[in-house]
């Protein structure tokens, strides 16, 4: 494979001139630049990114670490981040922590070794110790789908309290007075915030907190939703509606009810969260609280790029986006 010295020899210039053509082309005379580019094309020269990283101290890669790439919500977040990164001439490395603090710590260590230009992260470690340790590397990071607890970092999130209130308020307005909440891992603040919003909607309607029956789950996937649906069917008395912490859970609940011959929404209404693409395509189109996932990813990447180009004046910001209720057939029949 041809090296930079080979290009310099064929073009009849110094190695420094070749480097300038690659990195600062405006500093090289047009005739010389054309000669060097012709040599690069003729020899098939590709610059060494690892060598460039050693000189610059950072790579042209932005890292994105999410909780679960099996969830289409995070796929949309990645799409938004990639759009912003590509406009800045960067690539995106997407990694999946699987909601494991240990795996999160390993990936953060890898990002430090690779000298990424910055990290977008939805934390799996509720204690914050992993990110506290990572911050010692002085690599900027932005929290995604997570509210910043202080002013030490930027964050882009959604008002999940408002989202939970929208979901349960909609069910109450349809006449439901007993709602099951299929939750997820209790250490995720999104799960707690959506429950808080659900309880606030009950209180606003003059209903007791006991009207919300929680069905806990340690996962946020379709299989966990099917299991939750089976437990819902065993409740006596059975709630007439169910609010799920995400759409994958809601789709699993829908499958479980359908298999048991329970009609949706006539017997039990369902509302999900995220409004993933599959929500509208379900056997009974799913009412869901829409999160602007693509916008979230793009804005988080833009904040990261702004901090990475810091000239000493960057101010950390916490952006909170608003959710939107999308009503479909799974909850549309009033009781």
């Amino acid at each position: 494979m041809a090296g930079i010295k080979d290009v310099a020899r064929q073009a009849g210039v110094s190695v420094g001139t070749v480097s300038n053509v690659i990195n600062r082309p405006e500093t090289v005379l047009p005739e010389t630049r054309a000669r060097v580019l012709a040599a690069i094309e003729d020899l098939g020269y590709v610059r060494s990114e690892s060598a460039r990283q050693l000189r610059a101290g950072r790579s042209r890669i932005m890292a994105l670490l999410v909780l679960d790439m099996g969830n289409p919500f995070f796929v949309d977040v990645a799409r938004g981040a990639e759009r912003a990164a590509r406009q800045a001439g960067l690539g995106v490395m997407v990694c999946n922590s699987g909601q494991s603090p240990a795996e999160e710590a390993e990936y953060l260590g890898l990002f430090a070794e690779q000298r990424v230009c910055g990290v977008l992260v939805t934390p799996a470690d509720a204690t914050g110790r992993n990110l506290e340790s990572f911050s010692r590397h002085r690599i900027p990071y932005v929290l995604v789908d997570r509210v910043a607890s202080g002013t030490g970092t930027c964050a882009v999130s959604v008002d999940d309290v408002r989202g939970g209130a929208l979901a349960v308020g909609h069910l109450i307005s349809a006449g439901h007075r007993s709602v099951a909440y299929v939750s997820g891992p209790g250490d995720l603040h999104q799960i707690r915030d959506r429950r808080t919003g659900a309880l606030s909607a009950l209180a606003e309607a003059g209903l007791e907190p006991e009207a919300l029956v929680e069905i806990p789950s340690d996962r946020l996937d379709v299989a966990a939703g099917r299991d939750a649906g089976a437990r819902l069917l065993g409740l006596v008395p059975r709630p007439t509606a169910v609010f799920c912490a995400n759409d994958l859970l809601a789709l699993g609940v829908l499958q479980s009810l359908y298999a048991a011959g329970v009609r949706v929404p006539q017997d039990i209404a369902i509302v999900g969260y995220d409004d993933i693409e599959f929500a509208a395509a379900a056997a009974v189109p799913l009412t869901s609280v829409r999160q602007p996932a693509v916008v979230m990813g793009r804005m988080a990447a833009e904040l990261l790029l702004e901090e990475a180009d810091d000239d000493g004046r960057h101010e950390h910001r916490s952006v909170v986006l608003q959710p939107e209720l999308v009503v479909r057939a799974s909850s549309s029949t009033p009781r």
Side-chain angles (χ1 to χ4, degrees):
M1 179 180 296
I4 192 169
K5 291 181 179 179
D6 300 312
V7 174
R9 187 180 303 112
Q10 177 157 324
V13 298
S14 68
V15 170
T17 298
V18 176
S19 178
N20 285 336
V21 169
I22 295 171
N23 298 295
R24 295 175 296 278
E26 70 281 358
T27 65
V28 183
L29 290 173
E31 300 90 354
T32 305
R33 187 166 65 239
R35 198 162 67 249
V36 171
L37 291 174
I40 288 174
E41 177 69 22
D42 185 47
L43 295 172
Y45 168 73
V46 177
R47 73 175 179 179
S48 171
E49 179 62 18
S50 59
R52 195 202 66 82
Q53 285 180 220
L54 287 172
R55 291 191 301 271
R58 292 281 169 83
S59 76
R60 295 173 55 247
I61 297 296
M62 177 187 298
L64 171 63
L65 181 58
V66 301
L67 295 178
D68 180 13
M69 278 307 295
N71 186 338
F73 165 75
F74 288 113
V75 175
D76 286 342
V77 169
R79 285 170 51 208
E82 183 184 29
R83 289 177 187 174
R86 285 177 63 84
Q87 289 178 354
L90 301 177
V92 179
M93 175 170 57
V94 182
C95 299
N96 177 29
S97 71
Q99 302 178 34
S100 166
E103 290 193 29
E104 176 183 84
E106 290 180 8
Y107 275 122
L108 289 173
L110 174 65
F111 299 156
E113 291 174 4
Q114 295 299 314
R115 301 181 182 182
V116 298
C117 66
V119 178
L120 306 176
V121 56
T122 303
D125 177 20
T127 69
R129 284 192 290 266
N130 284 344
L131 285 174
E132 183 180 354
S133 176
F134 179 72
S135 64
R136 294 179 299 181
H137 298 288
R138 299 188 181 279
I139 296 175
Y141 65 89
V142 173
L143 303 182
V144 182
D145 197 27
R146 184 65 52 90
V147 178
S149 57
T151 59
T153 185
C154 289
V156 182
S157 62
V158 168
D159 187 347
D160 284 309
V161 174
R162 172 66 176 158
L166 284 173
V168 173
H170 165 67
L171 292 170
I172 291 171
S173 68
H176 299 280
R177 294 298 177 265
S178 177
V179 179
Y181 176 46
V182 178
S183 63
D187 58 347
L188 295 180
H189 87 92
Q190 298 96 323
I191 304 303
R192 299 194 300 270
D193 284 355
R194 291 166 196 178
R195 181 179 183 274
T196 298
L199 290 171
S200 71
L202 293 174
E204 186 175 341
L207 299 174
E208 296 296 323
E210 291 74 18
L212 189 72
V213 181
E214 187 164 358
I215 302 176
S217 172
D218 60 356
R219 303 188 319 280
L220 291 165
D221 54 29
V222 174
R226 286 195 293 266
D227 177 67
R231 283 181 281 157
L232 171 65
L233 291 171
L235 294 177
V236 180
R238 181 190 297 169
T240 60
V242 55
F243 167 44
C244 298
N246 77 356
D247 284 342
L248 296 181
L249 288 172
L251 292 171
V253 170
L254 179 62
Q255 290 178 6
S256 185
L257 299 184
Y258 183 83
V262 176
R263 299 173 301 168
V264 175
Q266 293 88 341
D267 298 328
I268 298 181
I270 302 177
V271 175
Y273 207 101
D274 290 339
D275 194 35
I276 62 175
E277 184 177 356
F278 301 129
V284 180
L286 185 65
T287 295
S288 184
V289 177
R290 176 179 294 164
Q291 296 200 80
V294 174
V295 173
M296 185 185 301
R298 176 180 57 78
M299 292 187 70
E302 289 172 350
L303 286 173
L304 185 63
L305 290 168
E306 181 183 302
E307 184 173 359
D309 292 335
D310 183 22
D311 57 3
R313 294 178 295 179
H314 175 78
E315 294 183 3
H316 292 304
R317 301 196 301 278
S318 185
V319 179
V320 180
L321 304 173
Q322 292 302 310
E324 173 191 359
L325 181 70
V326 181
V327 179
R328 299 190 181 95
S330 69
S331 68
S332 62
T333 302
R335 294 186 64 78

